[in-house]
Amino acid sequence: MSGVRVLAIAGSLRKGSFNRKLLAIAVKLLTEQKAEVEVADLQALAMPVYDGDIEEGGFPDSVNKFRAQIAAAQALCIATPEYNHSVPGGLKNAIDWASRPPDQPLKGRAAILMGASTGHFGTVRCQLALRPTLGALGVFVLPTGVTVPYAEEAFDESGQLKDPKLLRQVSRLTEQLISFVKSYPQGL
Ligand SMILES: Cc1cc2nc3c(=O)[nH]c(=O)nc-3n(C[C@H](O)[C@H](O)[C@H](O)COP(=O)(O)O)c2cc1C
């Protein structure tokens, strides 16, 4: 039993999201690989848009909850779409709230990135944009990511990836995340 604690986050809020499907696949694999997985649902959390005046009055409950979920985890598994060649605003907003002192909870977490988009590049530009942001906050993002292009054709009716190669990529990436965290028993 690895017991590695992973927080899973989808960068899309909509119910029928391809990235929620991709995240569900990763969560199942992580669980089979003996990780302890919690999901941070950005749609349910409904954090306000970051505003320094709100912050002055104290973090909203939703922000406190999200920050506590990160603090309790050793690693993050993020499945996110790409919006206009970059990070979706909802996910960036959540990271911005998490980035604020005191006790910035992202520092020292490991992370893996994956994403599904209807375009040809399968979120590669979003992942490239997300890496420096997470790196600046002390997150160790694993070098490989999974990109799922043409997402409307990529999943079957039960939400599984049709391409076994992509499924193997997700499985390898989740295994790498667990191994990476376990290779630093004192924490990152
Ligand atoms: C505001 C917006 C911007 C988008 N920009 C891109 C883009 O830059 N590249 C891309 O491949 N797809 C883009 N798309 C299409 C998304 O890949 C597609 O909507 C996808 O289904 C979103 O992920 P989801 O299914 O998890 O919600 C965009 C969609 C929206 C709503």
Side-chain angles (χ1 to χ4, degrees):
M1 173 98 184
S2 81
V4 171
R5 299 182 304 280
V6 181
L7 184 65
I9 305 168
S12 172
L13 276 56
R14 70 187 190 96
K15 285 191 188 66
S17 155
F18 297 121
N19 287 279
R20 282 183 185 267
K21 288 182 184 162
L22 184 59
L23 191 73
I25 291 167
V27 166
K28 184 165 179 285
L29 288 164
L30 284 162
T31 305
E32 287 167 5
Q33 294 157 2
K34 313 292 185 209
E36 295 171 31
V37 188
E38 193 179 351
V39 177
D41 185 335
L42 298 186
Q43 202 277 338
L45 283 167
M47 284 176 266
V49 174
Y50 175 80
D51 177 337
D53 291 337
I54 296 176
E55 185 183 12
E56 289 258 307
F59 291 133
D61 290 346
S62 55
V63 171
N64 275 325
K65 179 166 183 198
F66 182 58
R67 290 169 63 98
Q69 286 182 309
I70 297 169
Q74 296 164 287
L76 311 174
C77 171
I78 299 175
T80 181
E82 168 177 290
Y83 285 174
N84 301 308
H85 298 192
S86 193
V87 184
L91 177 60
K92 179 61 164 54
N93 183 56
I95 293 169
D96 289 341
W97 274 117
S99 74
R100 302 299 295 154
D103 303 320
Q104 191 272 86
L106 288 161
K107 192 169 186 304
R109 270 61 194 163
I112 50 174
L113 306 181
M114 58 191 74
S117 84
T118 52
H120 175 68
F121 294 105
T123 76
V124 72
R125 292 164 298 210
C126 170
Q127 293 184 27
L128 288 173
L130 200 45
R131 283 176 179 279
T133 298
L134 292 174
L137 297 169
V139 179
F140 292 75
V141 184
L142 269 61
T144 317
V146 176
T147 54
V148 180
Y150 309 119
E152 67 273 55
E153 292 158 22
F155 298 88
D156 67 20
E157 278 170 13
S158 67
Q160 289 307 307
L161 281 166
K162 290 183 196 164
D163 182 348
K165 267 196 303 192
L166 279 174
L167 185 59
R168 275 200 301 280
Q169 284 178 20
V170 177
S171 181
R172 204 159 47 233
L173 191 59
T174 52
E175 276 173 3
Q176 284 173 353
L177 181 67
I178 291 173
S179 301
F180 184 70
V181 172
K182 285 171 83 175
S183 68
Y184 288 89
Q186 309 302 325
L188 286 160

